[in-house]
Amino acid sequence: MDKYSERLTGFMQALGCMNDAANRVSDYFVVKLEESESIFTSLAMYHSALTDKFPAAYWHPKLKTCTNELFMDTVELWFFEHQDMQLLPRPLKQRLLSTFKDDFTVMAGNAQLFTLITSPPIWYGSLHDEFVIDSPYGRYLVHFSCHD
């Protein structure tokens, strides 16, 4: 893990813990994908590392171009999904989002953002949202999920 994805993952995991409840656990992280000739090859290597029971093609990955606004809207939904987190004062929420966005910008620079759409062949969470970041500094997977 590189220092940028490690820092963001720590930040995201802290917020994920604050969204946990008695009947669910949140899982938020950033992974630097392996370098390869294409995003799909990088994703295939990542998916192959998750399970050796199914070929990477069984994930059926599709990429849809994503705007920064849509990405940050999704981040906000995941960061403040639990009712207790929704009660935080607006200035604190804005500060948390601003900190994430600043650190994300340092990691990704002027990146292309994609929503990753998959059909996982294994248990992968009750709900999940994933993004692929294709930046001058590497490719990253941003993952949000919850498990019942």
Side-chain angles (χ1 to χ4, degrees):
M1 182 179 295
D2 70 357
K3 67 180 182 179
Y4 301 109
S5 57
E6 187 174 346
R7 177 178 166 89
L8 273 177
T9 293
F11 185 86
M12 292 169 66
Q13 286 177 338
L15 286 168
C17 287
M18 295 185 335
N19 280 291
D20 286 350
N23 62 344
R24 64 180 299 282
V25 174
S26 300
D27 195 17
Y28 308 165
F29 60 83
V30 178
V31 173
K32 186 168 187 181
L33 298 171
E34 296 290 329
E35 290 187 31
S36 71
E37 69 277 358
S38 77
I39 294 174
F40 289 106
T41 303
S42 296
L43 285 169
M45 288 186 271
Y46 170 74
H47 289 137
S48 292
L50 296 176
T51 179
D52 59 359
K53 295 184 182 185
F54 301 99
Y58 280 33
W59 288 77
H60 307 286
K62 294 180 184 142
L63 297 174
K64 182 178 174 187
T65 302
C66 175
T67 64
N68 281 326
E69 293 77 20
L70 176 64
F71 174 70
M72 287 306 298
D73 286 349
T74 305
V75 167
E76 183 173 0
L77 286 173
W78 281 99
F79 281 1
F80 308 112
E81 68 172 314
H82 191 277
Q83 64 189 43
D84 291 341
M85 292 296 285
Q86 292 171 10
L87 297 174
L88 291 175
R90 182 144 181 83
L92 178 56
K93 288 192 219 178
Q94 291 304 317
R95 179 72 180 141
L96 290 168
L97 287 171
S98 178
T99 299
F100 175 83
K101 188 173 185 174
D102 290 348
D103 286 352
F104 177 79
T105 301
V106 169
M107 179 190 82
N110 188 17
Q112 285 186 291
L113 299 171
F114 300 94
T115 301
L116 174 61
I117 302 157
T118 58
S119 299
I122 60 172
W123 174 251
Y124 202 60
S126 303
L127 297 170
H128 70 275
D129 280 309
E130 292 182 308
F131 298 89
V132 173
I133 313 308
D134 193 15
S135 84
Y137 312 115
R139 292 187 182 118
Y140 297 89
L141 174 83
V142 179
H143 172 92
F144 297 95
S145 68
C146 65
H147 308 269
D148 293 333

